[in-house]
Amino acid sequence: RSEVRFTVRKLGFEDFTVVFRESEGEIRYDPASPAASSIQWRVRVASVKTDESNRDESLRGQDYFDAARHPHLAFASRTVRPRSDGSLEVSGEVTIRGVTRPLSIVVRPRSTAAGPAFETDFEVDRYDFGVVGGSVLGRLISRLVRVHIVAATGPVGPSWSGRIPSKARGG
């Protein structure tokens, strides 16, 4: 039910989407007091999946995510603020390849048949994190990466805390 994926522009005109199959974390959310909410999340780099095994290995390698030395991508919230449209402004820190940077995102809470979920879309500059592969004879792959995450959880009481499954399903 959870999904973690990113999209880059390849060769300047073709979008290419990559899915991570394994993520886990904890979301604490009280709709009556969103400022008391928190998110801890991480993705297992080795779970990267495309339609081509050579590409998967390349993404796990030193030019991209360097999974051997940096097995996880991570996010930890610092503040959560409600917005007038019902979404949440979540500020925290994201760590990729051992580089930690501040990140503010808009998260949309939503209800599903299986329980509460949270969805976000944002962009990062992969060069800020040392993810510089794909630049043979010029830039073959865009610096900007569009990220899409759906974190599906389960309720626990009127305010709830949910765990993101360890094997997220991507599509």
Side-chain angles (χ1 to χ4, degrees), residues 79-83 85 87-91 104-107:
T79 61
V80 177
R81 293 187 178 92
R83 295 169 34 116
D85 64 0
S87 65
L88 304 167
E89 181 180 330
V90 179
S91 296
S104 291
I105 58 177
V106 174
V107 176

Side-chain angles (χ1 to χ4, degrees), residues 17 56 59 86 123 137 159 166:
T17 299
D56 296 349
L59 288 169
E123 289 185 343
L137 300 175
S159 68
S166 61

